[in-house]
Amino acid sequence: MPKLIDHGRRRAELAEAAWRVILRDGVGHVSVRAVAAEAGLSTGSLRHVFKTQSELLVFALELVLDRVRARVAALPPRPAIRATVEAVAREMLPLDADRRTEMEIFTALFTAANAAECLKRPRAQAHDALRDACRWMIGQLDQGAVLAPGLDVELEARRLHALLDGLAAHLLYEPPSAETGWATRVLSAHLDSLEK
């Protein structure tokens, strides 16, 4: 009886192999041959899952977003809206090895989209998804009567978006072994500043 292949899992494994190539050699070295070799497969096996290099790169970027969404969805309920918002925001920062890897991949592919047409649309969608998440978080604070009166909800969503992008970039500039607690303290202080 032929072995059944979990195609979703195989796609993720190949995207993770592409991630390893990107982290080690850079986006410019991602090729069907390089990723197949990294995954221990033939190029034909890889092409059975991803017809083109562009399709693989797009999936590699989308996998980062899918992982963030899955972590956010798995967060346990919090007793207060503020705690929920902070927990969601923390999931978007590279505070541990896995999230750092995801952010390094995201940043590499986000930058590569300047020259790779296939990545421009997913990059825009990723940017919009983070902006929407920030709008949701600020909206939660506003609806929960936690947000200080008179604050511009859209402006605060944009400020939060910029803060998360900046914190993520600064965390990546530091060595992987560096302490990350400063970033969560900055995030917490920012959220404190929005309260009544």
PDB file of all heavy atoms in Angstrom, residues 134-149:
ATOM      1  N   CYS A 134      -3.317  45.690  15.163  1.00  0.00           N
ATOM      2  CA  CYS A 134      -3.133  46.852  16.048  1.00  0.00           C
ATOM      3  C   CYS A 134      -4.445  47.619  16.207  1.00  0.00           C
ATOM      4  O   CYS A 134      -4.766  48.071  17.314  1.00  0.00           O
ATOM      5  CB  CYS A 134      -2.029  47.757  15.502  1.00  0.00           C
ATOM      6  SG  CYS A 134      -0.391  47.015  15.650  1.00  0.00           S
ATOM      7  N   ARG A 135      -5.199  47.740  15.131  1.00  0.00           N
ATOM      8  CA  ARG A 135      -6.518  48.375  15.237  1.00  0.00           C
ATOM      9  C   ARG A 135      -7.415  47.574  16.180  1.00  0.00           C
ATOM     10  O   ARG A 135      -8.150  48.142  16.981  1.00  0.00           O
ATOM     11  CB  ARG A 135      -7.184  48.454  13.861  1.00  0.00           C
ATOM     12  CG  ARG A 135      -6.668  49.560  12.997  1.00  0.00           C
ATOM     13  CD  ARG A 135      -7.472  49.620  11.701  1.00  0.00           C
ATOM     14  NE  ARG A 135      -6.983  50.686  10.860  1.00  0.00           N
ATOM     15  CZ  ARG A 135      -6.748  50.558   9.574  1.00  0.00           C
ATOM     16  NH1 ARG A 135      -6.960  49.402   8.962  1.00  0.00           N
ATOM     17  NH2 ARG A 135      -6.318  51.589   8.873  1.00  0.00           N
ATOM     18  N   TRP A 136      -7.360  46.257  16.066  1.00  0.00           N
ATOM     19  CA  TRP A 136      -8.175  45.408  16.937  1.00  0.00           C
ATOM     20  C   TRP A 136      -7.771  45.614  18.391  1.00  0.00           C
ATOM     21  O   TRP A 136      -8.630  45.764  19.259  1.00  0.00           O
ATOM     22  CB  TRP A 136      -8.015  43.935  16.538  1.00  0.00           C
ATOM     23  CG  TRP A 136      -8.785  43.014  17.426  1.00  0.00           C
ATOM     24  CD1 TRP A 136     -10.093  42.653  17.298  1.00  0.00           C
ATOM     25  CD2 TRP A 136      -8.294  42.363  18.617  1.00  0.00           C
ATOM     26  NE1 TRP A 136     -10.447  41.810  18.338  1.00  0.00           N
ATOM     27  CE2 TRP A 136      -9.373  41.614  19.149  1.00  0.00           C
ATOM     28  CE3 TRP A 136      -7.071  42.338  19.258  1.00  0.00           C
ATOM     29  CZ2 TRP A 136      -9.239  40.852  20.308  1.00  0.00           C
ATOM     30  CZ3 TRP A 136      -6.939  41.574  20.409  1.00  0.00           C
ATOM     31  CH2 TRP A 136      -8.020  40.848  20.920  1.00  0.00           C
ATOM     32  N   MET A 137      -6.449  45.625  18.650  1.00  0.00           N
ATOM     33  CA  MET A 137      -5.992  45.780  20.034  1.00  0.00           C
ATOM     34  C   MET A 137      -6.415  47.126  20.616  1.00  0.00           C
ATOM     35  O   MET A 137      -6.941  47.180  21.736  1.00  0.00           O
ATOM     36  CB  MET A 137      -4.466  45.608  20.107  1.00  0.00           C
ATOM     37  CG  MET A 137      -4.019  44.171  19.921  1.00  0.00           C
ATOM     38  SD  MET A 137      -2.230  43.953  20.137  1.00  0.00           S
ATOM     39  CE  MET A 137      -1.640  44.286  18.481  1.00  0.00           C
ATOM     40  N   ILE A 138      -6.222  48.193  19.873  1.00  0.00           N
ATOM     41  CA  ILE A 138      -6.632  49.516  20.369  1.00  0.00           C
ATOM     42  C   ILE A 138      -8.149  49.575  20.491  1.00  0.00           C
ATOM     43  O   ILE A 138      -8.689  50.133  21.455  1.00  0.00           O
ATOM     44  CB  ILE A 138      -6.092  50.642  19.465  1.00  0.00           C
ATOM     45  CG1 ILE A 138      -4.559  50.661  19.491  1.00  0.00           C
ATOM     46  CG2 ILE A 138      -6.655  51.998  19.879  1.00  0.00           C
ATOM     47  CD1 ILE A 138      -3.919  50.913  20.838  1.00  0.00           C
ATOM     48  N   GLY A 139      -8.855  48.970  19.554  1.00  0.00           N
ATOM     49  CA  GLY A 139     -10.316  48.914  19.630  1.00  0.00           C
ATOM     50  C   GLY A 139     -10.788  48.178  20.871  1.00  0.00           C
ATOM     51  O   GLY A 139     -11.766  48.581  21.512  1.00  0.00           O
ATOM     52  N   GLN A 140     -10.082  47.104  21.231  1.00  0.00           N
ATOM     53  CA  GLN A 140     -10.436  46.375  22.448  1.00  0.00           C
ATOM     54  C   GLN A 140     -10.262  47.254  23.679  1.00  0.00           C
ATOM     55  O   GLN A 140     -11.110  47.256  24.580  1.00  0.00           O
ATOM     56  CB  GLN A 140      -9.577  45.110  22.588  1.00  0.00           C
ATOM     57  CG  GLN A 140      -9.884  44.034  21.573  1.00  0.00           C
ATOM     58  CD  GLN A 140     -11.302  43.512  21.719  1.00  0.00           C
ATOM     59  OE1 GLN A 140     -11.681  42.991  22.757  1.00  0.00           O
ATOM     60  NE2 GLN A 140     -12.105  43.689  20.679  1.00  0.00           N
ATOM     61  N   LEU A 141      -9.175  47.998  23.725  1.00  0.00           N
ATOM     62  CA  LEU A 141      -8.962  48.909  24.855  1.00  0.00           C
ATOM     63  C   LEU A 141     -10.048  49.982  24.898  1.00  0.00           C
ATOM     64  O   LEU A 141     -10.536  50.340  25.968  1.00  0.00           O
ATOM     65  CB  LEU A 141      -7.578  49.564  24.753  1.00  0.00           C
ATOM     66  CG  LEU A 141      -6.374  48.634  24.878  1.00  0.00           C
ATOM     67  CD1 LEU A 141      -5.083  49.413  24.638  1.00  0.00           C
ATOM     68  CD2 LEU A 141      -6.340  47.943  26.231  1.00  0.00           C
ATOM     69  N   ASP A 142     -10.419  50.470  23.716  1.00  0.00           N
ATOM     70  CA  ASP A 142     -11.447  51.522  23.638  1.00  0.00           C
ATOM     71  C   ASP A 142     -12.810  50.988  24.065  1.00  0.00           C
ATOM     72  O   ASP A 142     -13.497  51.585  24.898  1.00  0.00           O
ATOM     73  CB  ASP A 142     -11.502  52.068  22.213  1.00  0.00           C
ATOM     74  CG  ASP A 142     -12.394  53.301  22.093  1.00  0.00           C
ATOM     75  OD1 ASP A 142     -12.404  54.118  23.041  1.00  0.00           O
ATOM     76  OD2 ASP A 142     -13.050  53.446  21.057  1.00  0.00           O
ATOM     77  N   GLN A 143     -13.201  49.838  23.530  1.00  0.00           N
ATOM     78  CA  GLN A 143     -14.510  49.260  23.858  1.00  0.00           C
ATOM     79  C   GLN A 143     -14.581  48.797  25.306  1.00  0.00           C
ATOM     80  O   GLN A 143     -15.645  48.774  25.902  1.00  0.00           O
ATOM     81  CB  GLN A 143     -14.818  48.089  22.922  1.00  0.00           C
ATOM     82  CG  GLN A 143     -15.042  48.515  21.489  1.00  0.00           C
ATOM     83  CD  GLN A 143     -15.100  47.342  20.538  1.00  0.00           C
ATOM     84  OE1 GLN A 143     -15.176  46.187  20.947  1.00  0.00           O
ATOM     85  NE2 GLN A 143     -15.050  47.629  19.243  1.00  0.00           N
ATOM     86  N   GLY A 144     -13.428  48.447  25.860  1.00  0.00           N
ATOM     87  CA  GLY A 144     -13.398  48.001  27.243  1.00  0.00           C
ATOM     88  C   GLY A 144     -13.265  49.148  28.227  1.00  0.00           C
ATOM     89  O   GLY A 144     -13.043  48.925  29.411  1.00  0.00           O
ATOM     90  N   ALA A 145     -13.393  50.374  27.710  1.00  0.00           N
ATOM     91  CA  ALA A 145     -13.301  51.582  28.539  1.00  0.00           C
ATOM     92  C   ALA A 145     -11.970  51.665  29.276  1.00  0.00           C
ATOM     93  O   ALA A 145     -11.887  52.183  30.381  1.00  0.00           O
ATOM     94  CB  ALA A 145     -14.478  51.654  29.512  1.00  0.00           C
ATOM     95  N   VAL A 146     -10.923  51.136  28.658  1.00  0.00           N
ATOM     96  CA  VAL A 146      -9.591  51.200  29.232  1.00  0.00           C
ATOM     97  C   VAL A 146      -8.816  52.365  28.605  1.00  0.00           C
ATOM     98  O   VAL A 146      -7.982  52.990  29.250  1.00  0.00           O
ATOM     99  CB  VAL A 146      -8.831  49.867  29.009  1.00  0.00           C
ATOM    100  CG1 VAL A 146      -7.424  49.926  29.542  1.00  0.00           C
ATOM    101  CG2 VAL A 146      -9.599  48.713  29.646  1.00  0.00           C
ATOM    102  N   LEU A 147      -9.107  52.647  27.331  1.00  0.00           N
ATOM    103  CA  LEU A 147      -8.409  53.699  26.612  1.00  0.00           C
ATOM    104  C   LEU A 147      -8.812  55.067  27.166  1.00  0.00           C
ATOM    105  O   LEU A 147      -9.989  55.325  27.415  1.00  0.00           O
ATOM    106  CB  LEU A 147      -8.773  53.616  25.124  1.00  0.00           C
ATOM    107  CG  LEU A 147      -7.860  54.325  24.134  1.00  0.00           C
ATOM    108  CD1 LEU A 147      -6.475  53.693  24.119  1.00  0.00           C
ATOM    109  CD2 LEU A 147      -8.467  54.277  22.738  1.00  0.00           C
ATOM    110  N   ALA A 148      -7.836  55.919  27.340  1.00  0.00           N
ATOM    111  CA  ALA A 148      -8.109  57.265  27.857  1.00  0.00           C
ATOM    112  C   ALA A 148      -9.046  58.002  26.908  1.00  0.00           C
ATOM    113  O   ALA A 148      -8.916  57.881  25.693  1.00  0.00           O
ATOM    114  CB  ALA A 148      -6.806  58.034  28.023  1.00  0.00           C
ATOM    115  N   PRO A 149     -10.004  58.749  27.450  1.00  0.00           N
ATOM    116  CA  PRO A 149     -10.942  59.475  26.596  1.00  0.00           C
ATOM    117  C   PRO A 149     -10.215  60.508  25.727  1.00  0.00           C
ATOM    118  O   PRO A 149      -9.217  61.083  26.136  1.00  0.00           O
ATOM    119  CB  PRO A 149     -11.888  60.163  27.581  1.00  0.00           C
ATOM    120  CG  PRO A 149     -11.449  59.811  28.949  1.00  0.00           C
ATOM    121  CD  PRO A 149     -10.236  58.957  28.866  1.00  0.00           C
TER     122      PRO A 149
END
